[in-house]
Amino acid sequence: MRRRRVPTVIAALLACVMITPAQLVSGPAAAAAAEATVDITVDASLIAADNVNGLTFKGFGVLSANSTSALLMDYKAQHPEVYARLLRVLFGGDRPVMSHVKIEMGNDRNNSTGSDPATMRWETERANVTRHPGFPLAADAKKVNPDLKVSILRWNAPAWANTNGKIYTWYKNTILAAHREYGFMVDYVNPGVNEHAADLTWTKQYANQVRADTTGYVSDDPGLAGFRPGEAELYRRIQLVISDEVGVGTFGGAMVSDAELRDAVAVAGYHYNTDDDGQRNFTRLAEQYDKEIWNSEAQATFSNSSFRPNNNTSDPTVPRTGLGGTGSALEMANTIVKGFVKSRRTHFVYQPAIGSFFEGGQYSFKELVSARDPWSGWLHYDAGLAVLQHFTSFAQTGWENDANTAGIWRVIPQASASTATGTNPVVGRNGQPNYLTMAAPDGSDFSTVIVNDSEYPRTYQISPVGFDLGTAPTLALWQTTAAGAGEAFDANYKRHVSDVAPGAAGGYLVSVEPYSIATVTSLDVTGDPEWTAPLPVEGERTVLDADSAHGVLWATTSTTPARPCR
């Protein structure tokens, strides 16, 4: 879609709004504001349209693990309208925030913060995927977004699955049980153990077994055994992810040098680190070998962002970090930018994206959606979601199809940069440039996401080259920042601040406020409520109090088998 020009008077007023914060800053911040303008050239000839996996931006994912989804099916059972809205917010629309549900399977024992149920508690048990809330969540999410990807891995295995052969049977029976129960086939599997180095020999063997499997479901029950019509073809398309290690993956060099391993593995994923290895193997895998590189378990926010406007932290000198600072939504955004710039990560999975467990049961706010009170249906949608929308609302994200015709936007390395320090956390309080640019593969549109997790305002000049932006080539500026005094906490989430006209030389001059995220885009989304609607606000949080008449505060319904939404 093309930008339309706004009236001159309105544009002038909005421009005044943008420069006011810089005028109010003094001291070190004022000195930083006087630094040279950051020039970004967005050259359409650099869009890697033929790269269908390594540079396509796939958006974000939900990890169901560590018992953090324990109460979700209670929300579904007791407050179906609240649960349905949650699905729409996360997975709905033409440009969904979340494009993937990752399910970490357990063995009924503690998984760091809680237990996840085993789908097969003994070797001859029929696989039961209704026990684990991740499977019905994935089924319901796919009802909202049929293009959603589903992946599985394990934290640990049930005691009987003590060989690679038995692990394969456990995985296969679980995958086929999910297909028969909920109608979806798993897209990706990590054959190894979460946060362990990959067994590369087993990885190749697993890939070969999946591609050549003729036995199907393993059971003495003829009603379960084998493949049902259509299952074998879908099953053999499953792709592999390795290794979900903590820190930089140890297998990058092996994938670059071993063609058989590259053939076996579709995705290189590792956790909580933005960097590449010393030889930049993961960058090579994305750019040269067209492999997907994921941050397959990432940090969202540490805190409830609605409280952040009231903080008085100085980092380093000016009180109030707003939506930025340590453990913030802006820190999360800088992790995305730095993850791509340093190691070509194009997909980020959050643990947990949904925190659905009893208050105090695991840890304090570390999620994008808090769903901890199933008795009332209370939900908190964090500002972190609005920050993620700055990436997904202004691009076509997801997975490109085999014919390369889906139009998924590519990230342009030459128009992206990170100066933030650290790997987890990623610290951008130095006030230096951090930005990521995505563009349509046909060069029709682009968006640049700018993260300013500092007390210093910054000015950028964006110069598009080779884009046909029409006869009135304005760019839209969208911004999210903390509320001001007397404002609702979400008053400044994903606001259309102004339309920016080009200067005499064709560049677009944009001021970015302290502690804010901004998207500069050629898309016009102002008339589409799917993109402009604010996140839901939770309202009053009901306290669960004693009921002397009945003696029961609340009873879970999680043990009831969960069916997908229809």
Side-chain angles (χ1 to χ4, degrees):
M1 288 178 283
R2 295 284 172 251
R3 293 293 317 143
R4 60 174 180 273
R5 189 180 297 277
V6 296
T8 303
V9 173
I10 296 175
L13 289 172
L14 288 170
C16 291
V17 172
M18 281 307 299
I19 65 172
T20 299
Q23 294 171 334
L24 295 177
V25 176
S26 61
E35 290 185 7
T37 297
V38 179
D39 291 313
I40 305 173
T41 299
V42 185
D43 189 339
S45 70
L46 298 177
I47 301 169
D50 293 332
N51 184 305
V52 299
N53 300 307
L55 296 177
T56 45
F57 195 78
K58 298 155 197 72
F60 307 104
V62 171
L63 176 55
S64 179
N66 308 123
S67 196
T68 57
S69 301
L71 300 178
L72 265 183
M73 294 304 109
D74 295 296
Y75 272 83
K76 179 177 179 177
Q78 299 189 30
H79 302 280
E81 73 291 346
V82 173
Y83 179 77
R85 183 171 66 175
L86 170 68
L87 296 176
R88 291 195 300 271
V89 170
L90 293 183
F91 304 105
D94 292 333
R95 289 171 168 79
V97 182
M98 299 293 170
S99 55
H100 173 200
V101 172
K102 177 179 176 181
I103 303 168
E104 188 175 287
M105 299 202 297
N107 62 351
D108 293 295
R109 295 183 178 183
N110 183 46
N111 288 15
S112 80
T113 58
S115 62
D116 279 317
T119 57
M120 293 175 67
R121 289 173 174 148
W122 55 90
E123 190 168 0
T124 58
E125 183 186 25
R126 177 177 181 173
N128 184 351
V129 292
T130 67
R131 291 175 181 154
H132 193 306
F135 289 98
L137 171 64
D140 293 338
K142 284 187 76 72
K143 297 288 183 183
V144 176
N145 175 15
D147 294 328
L148 181 100
K149 301 296 184 181
V150 181
S151 69
I152 66 169
L153 81 166
R154 71 185 186 276
W155 172 274
N156 219 327
W160 66 266
N162 55 7
T163 67
N164 282 340
K166 291 179 179 180
I167 290 291
Y168 182 81
T169 296
W170 175 40
Y171 276 24
K172 179 170 63 169
N173 283 7
T174 297
I175 290 166
L176 294 177
H179 184 258
R180 295 171 186 183
E181 181 72 28
Y182 295 124
F184 69 83
M185 184 63 69
V186 166
D187 299 286
Y188 294 96
V189 170
N190 179 347
V193 181
N194 184 56
E195 299 190 341
H196 286 66
D199 180 337
L200 302 183
T201 300
W202 167 234
T203 297
K204 297 175 189 178
Q205 292 171 349
Y206 189 97
N208 289 333
Q209 286 183 247
V210 168
R211 293 168 179 174
D213 199 304
T214 59
T215 59
Y217 194 100
V218 178
S219 175
D220 292 333
D221 183 345
L224 296 175
F227 283 119
R228 293 180 180 175
E231 282 183 342
E233 181 181 359
L234 295 174
Y235 180 80
R236 293 172 191 146
R237 293 178 186 170
I238 291 173
Q239 300 185 81
L240 268 58
V241 181
I242 61 170
S243 63
D244 285 288
E245 294 170 78
V246 176
V248 177
T250 58
F251 57 93
M255 281 195 67
V256 168
S257 63
D258 187 340
E260 183 185 2
L261 183 62
R262 288 199 308 275
D263 180 65
V265 176
V267 179
Y270 49 96
H271 301 177
Y272 302 114
N273 195 299
T274 54
D275 288 354
D276 207 330
D277 63 20
Q279 292 71 46
R280 301 209 72 198
N281 283 310
F282 293 100
T283 298
R284 288 186 64 190
L285 286 169
E287 295 185 348
Q288 182 177 342
Y289 296 104
D290 200 11
K291 291 294 181 181
E292 301 180 38
I293 315 296
W294 295 359
N295 191 334
S296 48
E297 186 173 325
Q299 171 186 319
T301 60
F302 274 110
S303 71
N304 182 326
S305 295
S306 62
F307 300 144
R308 279 191 171 263
N310 301 312
N311 85 78
N312 59 2
T313 301
S314 299
D315 191 0
T317 63
V318 179
R320 297 185 74 224
T321 61
L323 294 181
T326 302
S328 68
L330 295 183
E331 190 171 90
M332 174 187 67
N334 262 334
T335 301
I336 298 165
V337 174
K338 189 170 185 179
F340 175 79
V341 170
K342 294 296 184 182
S343 54
R344 298 299 183 262
R345 313 291 253 289
T346 55
H347 185 51
F348 301 80
V349 182
Y350 293 106
Q351 187 335 69
I354 307 169
S356 193
F357 48 83
F358 292 119
E359 190 79 21
Q362 279 91 348
Y363 32 63
S364 297
F365 287 91
K366 187 194 167 186
E367 62 257 24
L368 298 166
V369 179
S370 299
R372 306 182 182 207
D373 300 5
W375 49 88
S376 66
W378 176 88
L379 287 180
H380 167 69
Y381 293 88
D382 197 80
L385 280 175
V387 165
L388 296 187
Q389 287 176 319
H390 273 270
F391 296 86
T392 58
S393 289
F394 305 105
Q396 193 69 44
T397 64
W399 279 260
E400 188 54 82
N401 60 30
D402 292 339
N404 195 14
T405 58
I408 303 301
W409 285 28
R410 274 61 168 176
V411 191
I412 304 177
Q414 299 87 343
S416 304
S418 174
T419 61
T421 60
T423 58
N424 186 62
V426 170
V427 181
R429 258 77 78 196
N430 58 19
Q432 297 305 304
N434 296 282
Y435 54 90
L436 181 144
T437 300
M438 298 172 282
D442 62 0
S444 57
D445 283 295
F446 76 94
S447 297
T448 298
V449 183
I450 303 169
V451 184
N452 187 4
D453 186 15
S454 81
E455 63 189 38
Y456 312 116
R458 294 294 315 204
T459 301
Y460 290 79
Q461 180 166 266
I462 301 174
S463 301
V465 176
F467 290 87
D468 179 11
L469 301 180
T471 57
T474 58
L475 300 180
L477 173 63
W478 291 74
Q479 177 183 268
T480 291
T481 191
E487 292 181 319
F489 72 89
D490 61 344
N492 296 321
Y493 290 4
K494 214 178 79 165
R495 292 175 55 245
H496 179 214
V497 175
S498 67
D499 289 310
V500 185
Y508 296 77
L509 202 63
V510 177
S511 296
V512 181
E513 295 185 28
Y515 294 116
S516 71
I517 183 171
T519 300
V520 182
T521 181
S522 63
L523 293 174
D524 180 4
V525 303
T526 53
D528 193 330
E530 179 185 300
W531 295 354
T532 58
L535 295 170
V537 177
E538 63 265 26
E540 184 179 358
R541 190 174 186 183
T542 304
V543 175
L544 186 63
D545 205 350
D547 182 352
S548 57
H550 299 91
V552 175
L553 297 182
W554 177 78
T556 179
T557 57
S558 290
T559 53
T560 303
R563 301 290 176 179
C565 294
R566 300 298 181 189

